[in-house]
Amino acid sequence: MQPEQVVTELPVTGWTGPFDPMSTRAAVAALEAGRVVMLPQLAFEVTEAERAVLSAGLLSGKRKNISLEPATGKIGGAADVPEPLAAFMGRFAAQAEILARGLLAPYSRPLRLGRTSFRPAEIAGRDYSPRKDDKRLHVDAFPTRPTHGDRILRLFSNVAPDGRAREWRVGEPFGDLASRYLKTLPAPAATRARLYAMLGLTKGVQSGYDQMMLALHDQMKLDETYQTTAPALPWSFPAGTTWMVFTDQVPHAALAGHFALEQTFYLPVSAMVSPETAPLRVLERLTGRVLA
Ligand code: SIN
Ligand code: FE
C-alpha cells in the first residue's frame, strides 16, 4: 500500500477556520474514500497548569483511558478528576466540534458529538486479550452502543509532552476487508438483539449491521494470519499533530505512543457525499440484504 492510498495531509492551521472550500472538499473526499486526514500543522495547545496534572497515574485500575460524556460532563476512568483535567478535556471537545463542523461542512448539521477520551498511557508493551488489543488491526464497532449504520468518525490529537509520536498501522479498503470475511459473518439475529436490549446489555436494539460489524472486529483481531499478512502501512503521527478517520471503515492499529486526545462523532449515512462507500452500504451490496 502506498501512502497516498492511506493518508491525505491538509495544511489546516487553526481549529476555528475559516476553512476554504478546497480543503473541505479534499477532507470529505479523503475520509469517505477511507483515508486518514492528517493535519500536521494543527496542535492542541496544553496550558502549564494542565501539563502538571496530565500524568498516567490518573488512570484507575487497568483502564486505558479517561472518558468524558460531553452532553452530561460525566467523567469515567480516572481515580479522581482534578478540575484542570475536566477543563482540558472539555476544551478539546469544544474545539474538535468546531473544527469538524467547520472543515467538514457537508456534515455540519447532522454530525452528533459522542464521547471524548484522553489516552495518557503508553501503548507499547501493554498486554490485553486479543479482542481488546487495539495494537491489532481492526475496524471500530461498539458492543454496547449499536449505530444502525451511522458512521463512527474520530478525531485524534497527539499532545505527548516529550514529543513522542503515535505509531499506527493503516489497512486495506473496507470492501476488500468485508469480502475476505463475508462468509464467516453472522446473519442478522433479531431475537438475540431484542434480548440484549431487554437485559440492558446494549443501548437500544442491535441491527444486523451492528452484529456483523462486531463479528468483523473480533474476527480480524483474532486472526493471526490477517494480522501478519494483511496489507497495512505504518504511519507516524508526531506530537503536535491532529488527524481524523472513519474508524468503522478503515482498519487501524495503534502500536505505540502516549498522551493522545480523541473525540468521537456519529454521522448518518444519508449525510455523506458518497453514501455508497459507507460500511453499511458495502455490506448490504455484498450480502444482498437490508441490514439496518
Ligand atoms: C484505536 O482506535 O484503535 C486506538 C487509536 C489510538 O488510541 O491511537
Ligand atoms: Fe479502534
Side-chain angles (χ1 to χ4, degrees), residues 119 134 136 138-142 154 156 168 217 221 247-248 250 252-254:
R119 307 174 173 203
D134 290 342
R136 290 168 171 261
H138 65 284
V139 287
D140 287 349
F142 301 139
R154 292 186 134 169
F156 297 86
W168 275 29
H217 167 276
K221 274 189 175 171
T247 53
D248 53 356
V250 179
H252 59 284

Side-chain angles (χ1 to χ4, degrees), residues 11 32 68 85 136-137 145 161 174 184 192 207 240 245 252:
E32 294 191 2
L68 164 73
L85 176 65
R136 290 168 171 261
L137 283 169
R145 295 183 181 218
F174 186 82
T184 63
R192 195 185 63 197
S207 61
V245 56
H252 59 284

